[in-house]
Amino acid sequence: MKKRFTLVLLLISIFTVAQEKDKNTSEAYKKRVLESTEIDFLTSYYTQDGDNAAVTGGRGTEELTDFTPTVVVSIPLNDDDVLTIDASVSAYTSASSSNVDPFDGDPNVDASPFIASSGASRNDVLTTVSVNYSHSSDDRNKIWSANAAVANEYDYFSIGFGGSYTMLFNEKNTEFSVKANVFLDTWNAIYPTELRDDNNFIPFDDESRNSYSLGLGFSQILSKKLQGSLSVDVIRQDGLLSTPFQRVQFADVADRVVQQFTLGDDVERLPDTRFKIAAGGRLHYYLNEIVAIRTFYRYYTDDWGINSHTANIEVPIKITDKFTLYPSYRFYTQTAADYFAPFNQHLSTQQLYTSDYDLSDFNANQYGFGISYTDIFAKFHIWKFGLKNIDFRFRQYERNTGLKASLFSGGVSFIMD
């Protein structure tokens, strides 16, 4: 839940305003950044399954489903300023998190790491609201923005704020950007049921977590058909970086088994600081009016021992003037964190440990396909709203650890007359 939450916040905190260049417009006329109010209705459905749940110590069901409807409203305040409001509700059911207390379900069913408990912890809702304000200079060569976000989950609360500055020069063929964000999070720590009354168990004394990020971006139009960009992101986190309800079992301590469930000897213990660096680049090549090629590569490293490589390719194929297909492929590989070991392989003499397979050594492949309909003139109307775009995407994700996931996402964009 922590990773999904952070991911959502990180995604909603980064905002880009696209600028259009009109060579036929005289200098006396200033084109509006956004001509009229736009409303996007987005939704996604995510499902996954695997056998390495961190909640039960690295062995157990990872079955999870998540449904997230989102509304994004972009409002032009005047020629130069745009206000964007983004609100989403993420409702999920998790078999693994239900086993925070594996004994609160059906009394006629034995507790097992591979069977979801029917208790209250199997469901939750994450609510997120973010606001972004952006201002463009008269010549449209400078753009600054400020953003704020708040998110709430049953065991987690976060506020975030930040801003960005973008400069275009060289007749808008070159762009440089800098962005910074801060997230201040607070846990309401919930521990595995068997440890709550254990006199030997030591709860976390600090339930806060702070994240600070700085990003630099550079893009260049290299030719009529080729565009490239580079980016660097630096992130520092401090505070409670462990997930309080994720168990660890020690190999040198006798297993305590109730029904079919191995109780935890402790929860995961991770450092209270983390430093991350990610550097990446993109190349977009427009082969012709029908086919384009978009490539992406990123290298990531942190002081927990994880190094990763991401490579992605997408080939938009314009089949008509309004319909485009989006086949894609993504490869990901990472090394394990220094503190990771599988189920029941840590030792009680260690100070830091986790059995979360998100921090393990693994490779992953993702296959994607999408289709979109775009009408820049928004001829089709529903009341006062013109239909601008319909988009549908599907992605299939597979790890060599056995985790498999599917993501269905779609959106409809309207322009208000």
Side-chain angles (χ1 to χ4, degrees):
M1 286 179 284
K2 173 186 69 176
K3 299 175 187 64
R4 182 176 61 85
F5 173 81
T6 303
L7 179 59
V8 172
L9 279 181
L10 286 173
L11 290 173
I12 66 174
S13 68
I14 302 172
F15 185 84
T16 303
V17 179
Q19 300 298 308
E20 297 183 0
K21 178 180 178 181
D22 188 348
K23 296 182 179 179
N24 299 320
T25 303
S26 66
E27 295 183 358
Y29 174 75
K30 182 167 66 174
K31 185 176 178 64
R32 292 171 66 92
V33 176
L34 185 66
E35 294 293 341
S36 57
T37 298
E38 296 187 2
I39 302 177
D40 298 329
F41 296 97
L42 312 173
T43 188
S44 67
Y45 176 76
Y46 174 85
T47 179
Q48 74 169 41
D49 203 358
D51 296 322
N52 300 114
V55 173
T56 46
R59 186 186 68 174
T61 177
E62 295 178 86
E63 183 180 358
L64 180 147
T65 60
D66 180 273
F67 175 66
T68 306
T70 302
V71 178
V72 181
V73 181
S74 301
I75 306 169
L77 303 178
N78 49 49
D79 289 351
D80 306 323
D81 302 328
V82 177
L83 179 68
T84 301
I85 303 171
D86 184 323
S88 66
V89 176
S90 177
Y92 75 91
T93 299
S94 171
S96 62
S97 66
S98 74
N99 282 321
V100 172
D101 185 352
F103 310 106
D104 63 352
D106 188 341
N108 298 314
V109 178
D110 284 352
S112 166
F114 295 98
I115 299 176
S117 170
S118 57
S121 60
R122 72 188 186 278
N123 298 320
D124 193 23
V125 174
L126 168 66
T127 303
T128 305
V129 178
S130 67
V131 178
N132 181 284
Y133 174 83
S134 67
H135 172 80
S136 298
S137 62
D138 288 340
D139 60 7
R140 302 296 184 252
N141 287 331
K142 300 179 182 65
I143 309 159
W144 67 263
S145 71
N147 63 76
V150 60
N152 185 65
E153 198 172 8
Y154 83 103
D155 63 340
Y156 206 81
F157 177 79
S158 176
I159 59 172
F161 54 90
S164 67
Y165 181 77
T166 301
M167 177 180 295
L168 295 90
F169 47 96
N170 189 23
E171 296 184 346
K172 292 186 171 61
N173 289 317
T174 306
E175 178 180 312
F176 175 78
S177 64
V178 57
K179 63 179 183 291
N181 289 282
V182 175
F183 297 99
L184 307 176
D185 310 335
T186 303
W187 285 96
N188 176 20
I190 297 174
Y191 299 103
T193 183
E194 68 271 21
L195 297 176
R196 297 171 191 172
D197 298 323
D198 188 336
N199 293 329
N200 295 318
F201 174 70
I202 302 175
F204 296 106
D205 56 5
D206 181 5
E207 297 187 353
S208 66
R209 180 178 70 181
N210 301 326
S211 302
Y212 313 92
S213 67
L214 176 67
L216 302 175
F218 174 82
S219 68
Q220 176 68 47
I221 296 177
L222 302 171
S223 70
K224 291 182 179 180
K225 292 187 175 182
L226 184 63
Q227 180 181 11
S229 65
L230 298 171
S231 64
V232 177
D233 292 283
V234 178
I235 300 172
R236 176 180 170 82
Q237 296 179 294
D238 58 57
L240 179 52
L241 305 185
S242 307
T243 303
F245 49 79
Q246 294 187 170
R247 292 176 174 85
V248 169
Q249 288 86 0
F250 296 132
D252 57 343
V253 174
D255 289 344
R256 298 177 296 157
V257 181
V258 177
Q259 297 174 13
Q260 301 178 47
F261 195 91
T262 303
L263 303 181
D265 296 315
D266 198 1
V267 297
E268 73 171 10
R269 306 278 177 175
L270 292 169
D272 57 8
T273 64
R274 190 176 187 182
F275 186 74
K276 311 176 185 180
I277 299 177
R282 298 179 184 272
L283 277 178
H284 293 178
Y285 183 73
Y286 298 89
L287 192 63
N288 52 45
E289 293 182 356
I290 297 176
V291 179
I293 301 173
R294 300 172 179 173
T295 62
F296 170 74
Y297 169 78
R298 182 184 66 190
Y299 173 74
Y300 166 91
T301 186
D302 65 28
D303 59 357
W304 286 10
I306 294 179
N307 298 291
S308 74
H309 302 270
T310 305
N312 186 86
I313 184 170
E314 183 180 64
V315 184
I317 304 171
K318 196 173 183 64
I319 55 177
T320 72
D321 61 339
K322 294 182 179 180
F323 286 93
T324 304
L325 303 179
Y326 295 93
S328 65
Y329 170 73
R330 177 180 180 269
F331 175 76
Y332 178 83
T333 182
Q334 76 170 39
T335 59
D338 297 335
Y339 320 107
F340 172 81
F343 175 81
N344 221 0
Q345 292 190 24
H346 284 291
L347 299 177
S348 60
T349 54
Q350 297 174 241
Q351 293 184 331
L352 301 172
Y353 33 77
T354 179
S355 294
D356 185 347
Y357 270 71
D358 285 347
L359 301 177
S360 71
D361 179 0
F362 68 86
N363 301 326
N365 295 281
Q366 179 178 282
Y367 310 90
F369 180 79
I371 184 170
S372 71
Y373 166 87
T374 302
D375 181 3
I376 61 175
F377 300 106
K379 294 180 180 179
F380 179 78
H381 280 70
I382 299 177
W383 193 45
K384 295 182 179 181
F385 298 95
L387 177 61
K388 179 182 179 182
N389 177 266
I390 300 176
D391 184 84
F392 173 79
R393 303 289 177 108
F394 170 75
R395 298 176 181 88
Q396 180 66 29
Y397 176 84
E398 298 177 357
R399 283 187 190 175
N400 63 346
T401 60
L403 178 69
K404 295 183 178 180
S406 299
L407 174 63
F408 302 84
S409 61
V412 182
S413 299
F414 293 95
I415 301 175
M416 180 178 290
D417 293 339

